[in-house]
Amino acid sequence: MQKFYYIKTYGCQMNVHESEKLAGMLKSLNYEETNNMENADVIVFNTCCIRDAAEQKVLGNIGATKKLKKLNPNLIIAVCGCMAQEDGRKDLIKEKYPYVSIVFGTHNLHKFKDYLIEYNQKKQKIYNIWEKEEEINENVEMYRTSNNNAWVNIMYGCNNFCTYCIVPYVRGRERSRAMDDIVNEVKGLIKDGYKYITLLGQNVNSYGNDFKDGTNFAKLLKTLASLEGDFRIKFMTSHPKDLTEEVINTIATEKKISKVIHLPVQSGSNKILKLMNRNYTVEHYKDLINLIKQRVPNYFISTDIIVGFPNETEKDFNETYNLVKEVNYGGVFAFMYSPRTGTIAEKMENQVPQEIKNQRVNKLLALSKSIIKKQNEQLVGKVLEALVEKRNDNYYEATLDCGKNVILNYDGELSLPTFKNVKITGINKNKLVACLCD
Ligand code: 5AD
Ligand code: SF4
């Protein structure tokens, strides 16, 4: 009888891609995907622990599977990813969620298939968290799920230890994939017809630092941009302390490199940046932004911001607010600081009350919304490249480099998906409307 799996993914794109690897392993054991958790023979929770809210959501959802396990004692419930890797979480799951069958962390994700086989044979629970990261494993099956976009890891882990962040504790130190392995994977994806290839790393700008042979992110971008085919390379996330002029110039001049730069600033106050251990100043950050604006045609800059970091005063917050206004970001992901056990900031004095965090995040989001509205209006009349992806009755759906959706009024034939230059003609119910240019 056909068996089914259901994967619930929390958190970032890194996790979305790792779920594609989990799905690949499940498929190789002849499981099929289901969208209905109640039909599943295997339920996997691929977790996130970056903020407390994410963790509470995961724990609540795991708790809700208790009744499914009662109905179907053969159901396999697996918990993996960042939260599983976090100190003490394995024991918590063991104690409070005894119906969970398999627990594994970020460092042994590639072993999931073995654990599943073992569990199916022995029916004994598996709790296996590796303390340390290993060499990169290149032989993981994948089942890609993101339409025209394919994710590609270029590095794992993070060395930065921003004082608020739990990622370095649950994902280990930076390890770059060999350039040849990345290039070969990308070549295969181009051949398979993927149009967007998104390079993933916690800090893509430090790609290659661990090789100590001059390999760097700019070289990787140039190599990938020189490959044959009709595709665009995207990447995330960039760290302002490592983004070089060479990378900015490469983005500016290579047609096949996306002009979207996600450059998390986290705060507009030098005092807070220091407490966060971000290793750059607001002045340095602004210099980078100015360079991008001068050199990169059709740039799109977005950012992450944390409000309510310990010791953040109204003055500090206003500096952040003014920076957002000045940079005029295309997108702002604003988060309320969430203390994470084991990090330095968790122990800092002068934690900011929740109510103030709420006020500050809302203020930033309102500002960002008004900026985006204005930017959309300013797009009218512009000619931009879009990926035309889907045909409807008398229009096509397309996506700009920055990810905005466009309704393309055109009733001729196009072989999809295809990159086309479109002219933005207006805005209809918050959606950009365009016509074909060439
Ligand atoms: N609290 C709130 N936001 C956080 N981030 C990372 N750690 C925390 C935390 N403890 C945010 C940062 C990062 C994004 C992925 O998540 O802004 O860039
Ligand atoms: Fe966390 Fe800082 Fe590393 Fe990003 S760079 S993953 S915020 S420690």
Side-chain angles (χ1 to χ4, degrees), residues 2-6 26 30-34 36 39-43 75:
Q2 182 60 58
K3 296 207 164 195
F4 293 98
Y5 70 84
Y6 179 95
L26 283 154
N30 296 318
Y31 287 91
E32 279 303 322
E33 189 178 10
T34 171
N36 184 355
N39 290 342
D41 301 280
V42 180
I43 299 175
L75 173 65

Side-chain angles (χ1 to χ4, degrees), residues 26-228:
L26 283 154
K27 287 241 176 201
S28 75
L29 293 174
N30 296 318
Y31 287 91
E32 279 303 322
E33 189 178 10
T34 171
N35 295 324
N36 184 355
M37 198 193 263
E38 295 179 10
N39 290 342
D41 301 280
V42 180
I43 299 175
V44 188
F45 292 100
N46 186 11
T47 66
C48 170
C49 61
I50 199 131
R51 282 170 288 274
D52 188 54
E55 267 193 293
Q56 295 313 322
K57 205 157 114 194
V58 173
L59 292 170
N61 291 355
I62 298 173
T65 55
K66 186 178 180 180
K67 58 177 193 298
L68 293 178
K69 180 78 179 176
K70 259 200 183 143
L71 289 171
N72 173 14
N74 290 325
L75 173 65
I76 300 174
I77 301 167
V79 179
C80 65
C82 294
M83 191 196 80
Q85 186 71 42
E86 209 185 333
D87 254 4
R89 287 309 186 199
K90 180 185 79 184
D91 295 329
L92 175 99
I93 295 168
K94 224 182 213 177
E95 213 173 285
K96 295 228 166 114
Y97 307 87
Y99 40 89
V100 171
S101 331
I102 306 174
V103 181
F104 57 105
T106 52
H107 304 323
N108 53 344
L109 178 121
H110 58 287
K111 291 281 177 191
F112 177 47
K113 185 171 170 177
D114 296 348
Y115 300 150
L116 207 53
I117 294 170
E118 184 186 326
Y119 185 85
N120 274 325
Q121 282 166 358
K122 301 191 187 154
K123 301 282 183 265
Q124 274 168 12
K125 286 179 198 154
I126 297 169
Y127 301 99
N128 199 337
I129 305 292
W130 290 5
E131 287 290 313
K132 267 202 77 61
E133 62 273 19
E134 285 214 332
E135 294 287 295
I136 292 170
N137 190 310
E138 284 293 336
N139 303 312
V140 187
E141 285 127 306
M142 280 179 219
Y143 173 59
R144 297 190 182 270
T145 52
S146 316
N147 290 327
N148 291 319
N149 175 64
W151 310 103
V152 174
N153 288 117
I154 63 165
M155 59 191 301
Y156 299 89
C158 181
N159 288 355
N160 290 317
F161 289 95
C162 301
T163 55
Y164 50 81
C165 186
I166 199 156
V167 168
Y169 301 91
V170 294
R171 290 202 171 262
R173 296 295 68 72
E174 282 176 4
R175 288 145 285 149
S176 303
R177 279 180 75 195
M179 186 113 110
D180 283 350
D181 290 330
I182 298 170
V183 170
N184 285 335
E185 184 176 347
V186 171
K187 275 184 183 163
L189 293 167
I190 298 166
K191 215 165 134 210
D192 288 344
Y194 286 98
K195 294 293 173 192
Y196 290 130
I197 291 156
T198 307
L199 311 178
L200 292 175
Q202 308 296 344
N203 177 11
V204 289
N205 291 282
S206 58
Y207 170 76
N209 284 356
D210 44 334
F211 297 149
K212 300 189 172 59
D213 65 354
T215 302
N216 63 23
F217 187 51
K219 252 189 203 162
L220 176 67
L221 285 180
K222 283 179 201 162
T223 308
L224 295 176
S226 71
L227 297 176
E228 295 251 326

